[in-house]
């Protein structure tokens, strides 16, 4: 139940990964410029608030993700769809955009992706969805047995 509440509270959030950190940065501007770099129209979304996740890291450590909360859930859907389908004009962007999900759910999905890779190596058609995977059009949970 708590996981569902946490998941629901993150529905309007996106994570932007691999954006370099600098002193005196303005996260909202970084989000806007990153989305523009990916070819996402600035009129298709409105940022409520943005910030770096976690505490500052040592020099040389990877940059912390930026969490951006959008005004509407539809903005998040449009951004995720556009980011997936658009190739940046420069072809040089390393920025990745993901929906924000609770850590517990992220860990569960990580296991499912690992399991999906195992099935793919055996030649199966695999689709990862939320809390399960579909293997050769059959839904399975975390277990490996029963489908092959």
């Amino acid at each position: 139940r708590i996981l569902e509440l946490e998941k629901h509270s993150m529905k309007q959030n996106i994570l932007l990964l691999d954006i370099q950190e600098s002193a005196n940065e303005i996260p909202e501007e970084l989000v806007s410029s990153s989305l523009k770099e990916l070819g996402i129209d600035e009129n298709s979304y409105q940022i409520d608030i943005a910030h770096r996740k976690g505490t500052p890291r040592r020099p040389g450590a990877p940059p912390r993700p930026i969490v951006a909360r959008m005004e509407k859930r539809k903005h998040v859907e449009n951004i995720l769809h556009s980011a997936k389908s658009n190739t940046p004009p420069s072809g040089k962007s390393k920025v990745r955009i993901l929906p924000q999900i609770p850590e517990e759910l992220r860990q569960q999905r990580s296991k499912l992706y690992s399991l999906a890779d195992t099935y793919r190596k055996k030649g199966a058609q695999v689709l990862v969805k939320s809390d399960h995977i579909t293997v050769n059009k059959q839904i399975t949970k975390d277990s490996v047995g029963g489908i092959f």
Side-chain angles (χ1 to χ4, degrees), residues 21-23 25 52-65:
E21 290 189 54
S22 62
E25 67 185 17
R52 291 278 180 181
K53 188 175 175 184
T55 58
R57 297 189 181 160
R58 303 180 312 277
R64 294 174 293 158

Side-chain angles (χ1 to χ4, degrees), residues 17-70:
L17 308 173
D18 303 324
I19 297 176
Q20 291 302 312
E21 290 189 54
S22 62
N24 303 323
E25 67 185 17
I26 300 171
E28 290 85 352
E29 290 178 7
L30 291 172
V31 171
S32 293
S33 64
S34 296
L35 295 177
K36 185 176 182 180
E37 184 180 312
L38 291 169
I40 298 171
D41 180 18
E42 62 187 64
N43 295 317
S44 67
Y45 62 89
Q46 189 172 359
I47 302 168
D48 182 24
I49 192 167
H51 61 87
R52 291 278 180 181
K53 188 175 175 184
T55 58
R57 297 189 181 160
R58 303 180 312 277
R64 294 174 293 158
I66 294 177
V67 177
R69 183 166 187 83
M70 299 295 144

Side-chain angles (χ1 to χ4, degrees), residues 10-22:
M10 295 178 175
K11 283 187 178 251
Q12 288 175 233
N13 297 356
I14 56 172
L15 287 177
L16 290 92
L17 308 173
D18 303 324
I19 297 176
Q20 291 302 312
E21 290 189 54
S22 62

Side-chain angles (χ1 to χ4, degrees), residues 122-133:
K122 294 180 180 181
Q125 291 181 329
V126 182
L127 182 64
V128 178
K129 285 281 195 177
S130 187
D131 65 344
H132 66 276
I133 60 175

